[in-house]
Amino acid sequence: MLDNSPTGLGVYSFNVINNLSTLCLGDHYNQITVFTPTSSFLNNNLKIKKISNLMLSSKYGKLAAITRFLWNTFLYPLQAKNYDYLISTTTHGSFFLKNQILTIHDLLSLKFDNISAHQRFYYKYFLPFLVSRAKLIVTISETTKKDIIHFLKCPEDKIHVIYNGYDQTRYFPLDHNPQLILKEYGVSNYWLAVGPTYAHKNLEKLIEVYNKLSDTEKAQKPLVIAGGKDPYLTRLIRLVEKLKLTKHVYFLGYVPENLMPSLYREAFALIFPSLYEGFGLPPLEAMACGCPVITSLVSSMPEVCGDAALYINPSDENSILEAIRQLLNESDLYDGLKKKGLARAAKFSWNKNAQALKELLEKPTP
């Protein structure tokens, strides 16, 4: 999942790896080795074992999924058999190796029918066996832990919740506004939505709600949609065209990592109306940058945001519209969410994540 344009799993992977390697410097660990097609974003003190570029999902899509499966099944057991622990930052692993620690971020493929067919097949038929063979399972929220127990019949004591973090050296509020997003994309003071990858992100409903705002409200605060992939992204673009909102809705595509903090800082607020998340990193990153958050009162979002977000029923257009109007009209609420968001975000960090993982590795085996 590591490449030159990392998204969710890639961002998670390089942050966990880098922070774990920093914690383990000078300790009794001889070496942390990373099997990866690319060393982009990784610390220099890591030992890199290069594997095929054909496993880069951003570049090769379904072919990458097949290549990863074949590598995990046949080559990985030969190349990694002598390591003490084999940590996967994703659900990929070998059926034959012992001492594997798998990371399960969510079980979207088992909860929603519209996720890619090959991914659903893997989660339904291969992942349960892989989980049964793994030494430990790491997951990123209590929500996903419950799903793992329910869908994969995994014993509760085998699952360990270690929350995601964010890069505190990059995601923080600024007293001044360099307007990097305005310079790069020509938009400012916007409602922000992030990550239109699948229909459960619920951005069609957000666009329909946004269309209900007055022309003045839309002109004052455009809707910016960052990231995403086809075919869902194309559906959203067509909906915007159908509703004649092209002057007010901006699709930025992939936003580079170095611009992501500015994307949150220059937004009026983040709207994250997802129907389900294993964790939900954008609300955490937004809160850390002083950006107020509107999000769903479902799955893991309350775990992440606590009392620092304005919650909605993501299936109810009136609920979303009411929250938007509240933020527009109630300055005390707006300022309060900014303040609470900063305090809430401070409870999470990649260092805490890596420390918890290190402690898990050092626990005596039962």
Side-chain angles (χ1 to χ4, degrees), residues 143-161:
T143 296
T144 306
K145 179 179 177 178
K146 290 174 185 173
D147 287 342
I148 294 168
I149 294 168
H150 173 70
F151 285 102
L152 303 179
K153 312 304 178 191
C154 181
E156 185 174 358
D157 60 2
K158 192 175 179 176
I159 309 167
H160 299 266
V161 175

Side-chain angles (χ1 to χ4, degrees), residues 174-183 262 265-266:
L174 289 177
D175 293 331
H176 64 291
N177 185 358
Q179 297 186 317
L180 297 180
I181 301 301
L182 180 61
K183 292 170 187 172
S262 295
R265 290 180 190 130
E266 295 178 39

Side-chain angles (χ1 to χ4, degrees), residues 8-292:
L9 292 179
V11 171
Y12 173 89
S13 297
F14 75 71
N15 276 293
V16 170
I17 293 165
N18 287 342
N19 280 273
L20 185 63
S21 70
T22 300
L23 283 177
C24 293
L25 276 176
D27 216 324
H28 58 276
Y29 296 87
N30 293 325
Q31 185 69 62
I32 293 178
T33 301
V34 185
F35 293 87
T36 176
T38 172
S39 58
S40 297
F41 298 97
L42 293 178
N43 286 350
N44 293 328
N45 64 306
L46 291 158
K47 183 180 178 182
I48 305 298
K49 284 208 171 181
K50 181 85 165 56
I51 57 179
S52 172
N53 284 336
L54 287 173
M55 283 182 264
L56 290 171
S57 59
S58 62
K59 221 173 183 184
Y60 296 102
K62 290 180 182 178
L63 174 62
I66 295 168
T67 309
R68 275 199 306 274
F69 179 77
L70 294 174
W71 182 82
N72 274 295
T73 304
F74 300 110
L75 294 179
Y76 186 39
L78 298 174
Q79 296 180 15
K81 62 183 177 181
N82 296 323
Y83 289 90
D84 297 312
Y85 281 104
L86 303 166
I87 304 169
S88 174
T89 58
T90 69
T91 54
H92 306 112
S94 167
F95 298 126
F96 307 111
L97 288 166
K98 297 179 179 179
N99 293 338
Q100 285 188 113
I101 297 175
L102 289 185
T103 307
I104 299 179
H105 297 262
D106 59 58
L107 293 179
L108 277 168
S109 299
L110 299 180
K111 292 178 76 75
F112 293 91
D113 292 336
N114 57 0
I115 307 298
S116 61
H118 72 275
Q119 191 171 319
R120 186 173 176 82
F121 185 87
Y122 177 84
Y123 273 62
K124 189 172 182 180
Y125 296 106
F126 290 105
L127 186 57
F129 182 68
L130 202 55
V131 165
S132 72
R133 297 275 294 169
K135 186 178 185 66
L136 297 169
I137 304 297
V138 168
T139 192
I140 57 177
S141 68
E142 292 292 340
T143 296
T144 306
K145 179 179 177 178
K146 290 174 185 173
D147 287 342
I148 294 168
I149 294 168
H150 173 70
F151 285 102
L152 303 179
K153 312 304 178 191
C154 181
E156 185 174 358
D157 60 2
K158 192 175 179 176
I159 309 167
H160 299 266
V161 175
I162 301 179
Y163 286 115
N164 284 348
Y166 68 96
D167 188 343
Q168 295 168 315
T169 65
R170 297 174 60 242
Y171 292 93
F172 54 83
L174 289 177
D175 293 331
H176 64 291
N177 185 358
Q179 297 186 317
L180 297 180
I181 301 301
L182 180 61
K183 292 170 187 172
E184 184 73 21
Y185 299 105
V187 61
S188 62
N189 193 33
Y190 43 83
W191 298 102
L192 175 63
V194 175
T197 49
Y198 293 107
H200 74 275
K201 294 293 183 179
N202 202 32
L203 294 187
E204 284 164 303
K205 193 170 291 292
L206 174 59
I207 290 168
E208 287 162 355
V209 170
Y210 181 76
N211 189 46
K212 293 182 177 182
L213 296 175
S214 69
D215 290 341
T216 302
E217 288 170 325
K218 284 183 281 204
Q220 289 174 342
K221 287 181 175 56
L223 174 61
V224 164
I225 299 174
K229 63 181 182 180
D230 286 332
Y232 186 57
L233 190 56
T234 298
R235 274 170 53 185
L236 297 181
I237 292 170
R238 286 175 181 161
L239 177 61
V240 165
E241 290 169 349
K242 178 185 173 184
L243 296 175
K244 297 181 170 55
L245 288 172
T246 50
K247 289 183 180 178
H248 302 299
V249 179
Y250 292 71
F251 290 94
L252 304 190
Y254 176 78
V255 176
E257 274 292 296
N258 64 307
L259 285 178
M260 284 302 296
S262 295
L263 187 70
Y264 295 118
R265 290 180 190 130
E266 295 178 39
F268 177 75
L270 172 75
I271 308 180
F272 198 72
S274 181
L275 300 174
Y276 173 87
E277 293 291 321
F279 181 85
L281 202 52
L284 177 58
E285 292 173 340
M287 291 189 298
C289 292
C291 175

